[in-house]
Amino acid sequence: MKVRPSDLALAKRARAWITRHAAFWSRWGGPLLTAVILVVLEVVSRKVVRIPDHFAILFLATVFAAFGGGLRSGMISATLTWLYLGYLSSSTSGQRFPFTDQALGRVIVWAVVLPVTVMIIALMKRRAERASDELVRREREHSVSLAASLAERTRAEQALRGLFERNLAGIFRSRRDGRMLECNTAFVQNGYESREELLAHNAKEWYVHAEDRKHVLKLLQPGVVVTNHEMAWRRADGRQIWVLVNVREVMEAASTYLEGIVLDITDRRRRG
């Protein structure tokens, strides 16, 4: 599906609009919510039913404003809450803003509790954001380091693979039961058309004398390398050749495999 330039421009404008409004609601959503709650509480208390504890509801709104928008948002919400609670406390006497001793005490307590609560929440929010930013930074650095490490490992593996393939000697890996695991191009040239064809065969097929292979396997022990072992091999076309074998047994996790190098010394034996 082809994306038209007009569609891309529309998507960019939509993202910009969402970003602007998300920032607005993050900053002013809490105070606006508090103001709406104040209006609703006032209407409900006057028209429907008397609400016994306005402070609990407004306190939650203040906490939400501080958690969502930070210190400034929380302080604005706390100020609105404090003014409204002061208004309610003063209206109990039937006059405006003369307070009884008990009402004045409550107003003073609210004037302390609300800002302190907001500051604590804003501080916790800031610390959480810093911790989150630090975690993201560490993850990013780890990702970059991991990517660099993987790239370096890939280059090393490619270089090793190139050396493996360009080696003039035949290199192979197989199990003790003869199943082939890997080989290079030089080993494939032992009469086979492709690497896949060779790997489908069993290593036992190449030994003219089966006891030669049994002898090599008997010699192989952990840490022991069988070197310069001459034996007769049979090519894929049935022609007999002489090879010089160097092989060792490699332990990998819970399994083992044989790894060796084979040199064709047929011409040297003929000259000798």
Side-chain angles (χ1 to χ4, degrees), residues 203-267:
K204 296 177 182 178
E205 301 174 19
W206 303 322
Y207 293 82
V208 175
H209 306 291
E211 58 271 17
D212 285 342
R213 187 172 188 275
K214 294 179 181 179
H215 179 64
V216 170
L217 292 178
K218 186 176 181 181
L219 292 176
L220 284 174
Q221 299 294 333
V224 176
V225 179
V226 176
T227 60
N228 300 328
H229 196 82
E230 293 187 16
M231 63 182 68
W233 269 29
R234 184 181 296 106
R235 285 169 49 93
D237 56 11
R239 183 164 60 90
Q240 180 177 319
I241 60 174
W242 284 92
V243 294
L244 189 67
V245 176
N246 296 271
V247 62
R248 64 171 182 159
E249 188 168 24
V250 179
M251 174 73 71
E252 188 174 82
S255 63
T256 61
Y257 61 86
L258 306 183
E259 185 175 68
I261 299 176
V262 179
L263 293 174
D264 186 345
I265 58 171
T266 305
D267 291 340

Side-chain angles (χ1 to χ4, degrees), residues 84-95:
Y84 182 69
L85 292 175
Y87 161 76
L88 290 179
S89 297
S90 66
S91 64
T92 56
S93 62
Q95 302 178 13

Side-chain angles (χ1 to χ4, degrees), residues 1-271:
M1 180 179 177
K2 187 176 181 180
V3 180
R4 295 175 298 176
S6 58
D7 295 334
L8 294 176
L10 183 61
K12 288 181 180 179
R13 286 197 295 270
R15 285 197 297 268
W17 185 89
I18 293 173
T19 302
R20 288 196 303 270
H21 285 74
F24 173 83
W25 286 109
S26 176
R27 179 174 297 179
W28 303 108
L32 288 175
L33 177 63
T34 303
V36 170
I37 291 175
L38 292 178
V39 174
V40 172
L41 289 176
E42 185 67 16
V43 172
V44 171
S45 295
R46 289 179 179 274
K47 304 290 186 179
V48 184
V49 62
R50 182 178 178 275
I51 299 176
D53 192 358
H54 295 73
F55 177 76
I57 300 174
L58 293 172
F59 183 78
L60 290 177
T62 302
V63 170
F64 172 79
F67 185 80
L71 183 61
R72 178 168 56 181
S73 176
M75 283 300 183
I76 294 173
S77 182
T79 301
L80 293 174
T81 298
W82 180 75
L83 290 174
Y84 182 69
L85 292 175
Y87 161 76
L88 290 179
S89 297
S90 66
S91 64
T92 56
S93 62
Q95 302 178 13
R96 288 291 177 265
F97 297 109
F99 297 95
T100 63
D101 292 342
Q102 184 177 3
L104 181 61
R106 284 199 301 269
V107 171
I108 293 174
V109 170
W110 291 331
V112 175
V113 170
L114 288 172
V116 170
T117 302
V118 168
M119 286 188 288
I120 292 174
I121 294 174
L123 179 62
M124 293 174 62
K125 174 181 171 63
R126 184 177 301 176
R127 288 184 176 179
E129 289 175 345
R130 288 178 178 175
S132 178
D133 291 343
E134 178 65 18
L135 182 61
V136 171
R137 184 187 65 81
R138 289 182 180 180
E139 287 294 330
R140 187 181 296 113
E141 290 179 352
H142 177 69
S143 298
V144 172
S145 176
L146 182 60
S149 177
L150 289 175
E152 182 63 28
R153 180 177 178 180
T154 301
R155 287 193 294 269
E157 289 178 348
Q158 290 174 346
L160 185 60
R161 184 69 188 183
L163 180 63
F164 179 78
E165 291 295 341
R166 292 191 300 269
N167 202 308
L168 297 179
I171 303 175
F172 72 92
R173 287 177 181 173
S174 70
R175 298 293 185 191
R176 269 186 170 265
D177 61 5
R179 286 178 297 161
M180 292 296 297
L181 301 176
E182 183 62 279
C183 66
N184 68 343
T185 303
F187 200 87
V188 173
Q189 292 172 353
N190 189 31
Y192 291 92
E193 295 293 333
S194 67
R195 174 176 172 274
E196 289 70 22
E197 180 188 359
L198 185 144
L199 294 180
H201 288 263
N202 193 290
K204 296 177 182 178
E205 301 174 19
W206 303 322
Y207 293 82
V208 175
H209 306 291
E211 58 271 17
D212 285 342
R213 187 172 188 275
K214 294 179 181 179
H215 179 64
V216 170
L217 292 178
K218 186 176 181 181
L219 292 176
L220 284 174
Q221 299 294 333
V224 176
V225 179
V226 176
T227 60
N228 300 328
H229 196 82
E230 293 187 16
M231 63 182 68
W233 269 29
R234 184 181 296 106
R235 285 169 49 93
D237 56 11
R239 183 164 60 90
Q240 180 177 319
I241 60 174
W242 284 92
V243 294
L244 189 67
V245 176
N246 296 271
V247 62
R248 64 171 182 159
E249 188 168 24
V250 179
M251 174 73 71
E252 188 174 82
S255 63
T256 61
Y257 61 86
L258 306 183
E259 185 175 68
I261 299 176
V262 179
L263 293 174
D264 186 345
I265 58 171
T266 305
D267 291 340
R268 189 184 73 181
R269 285 183 63 94
R270 287 173 180 171
R271 289 193 301 268

